[in-house]
Amino acid sequence: MSFEPKIVAFLCNWCAYAGADMAGTSRIKYPANVVPIRVMCSGRVDPEFVLDAFEKGADGVFIGGCHPGDCHYVSGNYRTRKRVIMMKKLLQEMGINPARLRLEWVSATEGKKFATVIEEFVNEIKELGPSPEGE
Amino acid sequence: MAKIAMYWGAGCGGCDVSLLGIHEALLDLLDVLEIVFWPCATDFKYEDLEKMKDKSIDVAFYNGAIRTEENEHIAKLLRKKAKLLVAYGSCASKGCVIGLANLSTKEDIFDAAYLHNESTKNPDGIVPQEKAGDLELPAILPYLKTLDQVVEVDAVIPGCPPPTPVLVEALNALLEGKTTFGKEVALCDECPRKDTKPDKIEITKFYRWHEKEDNGDCFLAQNMICMGPATRAGCGGECIAANIPCTGCMGTVSRVKDQGASMMSAIASLMEEEMDEEKERELIASIHDMVGTFYKYSAARLLPKGRLKDES
Ligand code: SF4
Ligand code: SF4
Ligand code: SF4
Ligand code: FES
């Protein structure tokens, strides 16, 4: 049986979540591996959420936010971008491939983009295999 | 008379010293308590502990982490014999600096300690053995564990080692049967430099504290990482009073679970808002050691099974 990764996706209410919705209403298909979690802003995604997701067995964590300049809370996504860079560095030191964490900007109208990046990400995680568990 | 016990697990001994270091306050305490087990200070043997009735110790303090089978055995024994089991200090509660060893395997640690390092000549490759003739040493566990990763813990006294005011408050509370104590605010609140902490900090470069002349202001305002905002108050800012940024030995306030994540989050918010992505990467790359910086005292919690091994 092929490996079906578990992916947690934190999606901001105003852009990425609306984008995912758009993909749904336009009947654009994307893999069912994703568990979407709606947050008000990508800036709400604390590094702790990401670590928690990995600890609980996620194989990949996706964060979707508004394009730079478009965050409904002005600068939440700039903060997120910095956090993600830091988190990737931390994951590397912990022995987790940083590619398992991905940040993308998806606007409310970009249903197609949402489906494409999710599919790309799922395929990438399939290549990487399950998250390491330790002995 | 309350019966108390104190055990020294995998730690530096500083915690044992800190209990002696409360000076006169210890004399007052000695009036109301009886020490039934404290290997560092008194002549008790493990058999004495084994012979005690279950729950016959009122408060047992465990300092140091769990790195050997012996540590693990005593932790379980104390759990059985004591009404309250207390994680004393950062090693017992979070793994502390020695928890950073979880970034390496046991084999790598032995190699660095006994075989290959700048100050060791060991041509015969002699490494301590668990058994030699009829002598036995307790086995080293694959990774370091905190006390609560092995047994249930009733209370935590934070700090490396617990600072005197924190300790005295905790001891008095515990002797009254209370298991929560201490301050629930960030260190910045009681920091001697707090008046110099501006409302808005904009980090444009990270300096390590030997890379820049200290102007006496809040370290974060000087673009030096100080764990104060993510650290629990109680020490009064001991390190800051000695002109060193806080590295977070007191852990966090109780509503925060992950001190490192909380500080990384804070740092991201303090970096200049609209710098371009390239600059962000460069800046963050200049923080050399994420685990050592943000998880100096809690790496054993971050990596309970050691450094992970992701394929590729
Ligand atoms: S908490 Fe600090 S002082 Fe106490 S044993 Fe550990 S390293 Fe030593
Ligand atoms: S960040 Fe550090 S130096 Fe600044 S107020 Fe807080 S504890 Fe003090
Ligand atoms: S300043 Fe920070 S590292 Fe120093 S004693 Fe206080 S809490 Fe611990
Ligand atoms: S509201 Fe979408 S990233 Fe802030």
Side-chain angles (χ1 to χ4, degrees), chain B residues 103-118:
Chain B
L103 285 165
S104 310
T105 62
K106 183 178 133 185
E107 291 70 32
D108 289 343
I109 294 167
F110 271 67
D111 186 78
Y114 300 112
L115 299 169
H116 300 104
N117 65 57
E118 297 296 326

Side-chain angles (χ1 to χ4, degrees), chain B residues 8 10-16 63-65 88-92 96-98 159-162:
Chain B
W8 173 356
C12 76
C15 277
D16 275 288
N63 79 74
Y88 185 117
S90 173
C91 283
C96 201
V97 177
I98 54 169
C160 172

Side-chain angles (χ1 to χ4, degrees), chain A residues 18 27 51 81 90 99 106 112 129 132:
Chain A
R27 297 175 187 278
L51 290 175
R81 190 167 71 193
L90 179 76
V106 180
K112 183 88 187 80

Side-chain angles (χ1 to χ4, degrees), chain B residues 187-188 191 193-194 197 217-220 226 228-229 240 246:
Chain B
L187 176 66
C188 296
C191 170
R193 297 189 180 195
K194 87 170 179 193
K197 189 179 178 196
D217 286 354
C218 163
F219 285 108
L220 276 174
C226 175
I240 288 133
C246 170

Side-chain angles (χ1 to χ4, degrees), chain B residues 83-86 153-157 170 173-182 232:
Chain B
K83 292 192 188 95
L84 290 180
L85 178 63
V86 180
V153 169
D154 301 303
V156 167
I157 308 179
L174 283 162
L175 289 175
E176 288 170 21
K178 286 191 221 139
T179 51
T180 49
F181 35 77
R232 188 179 185 180

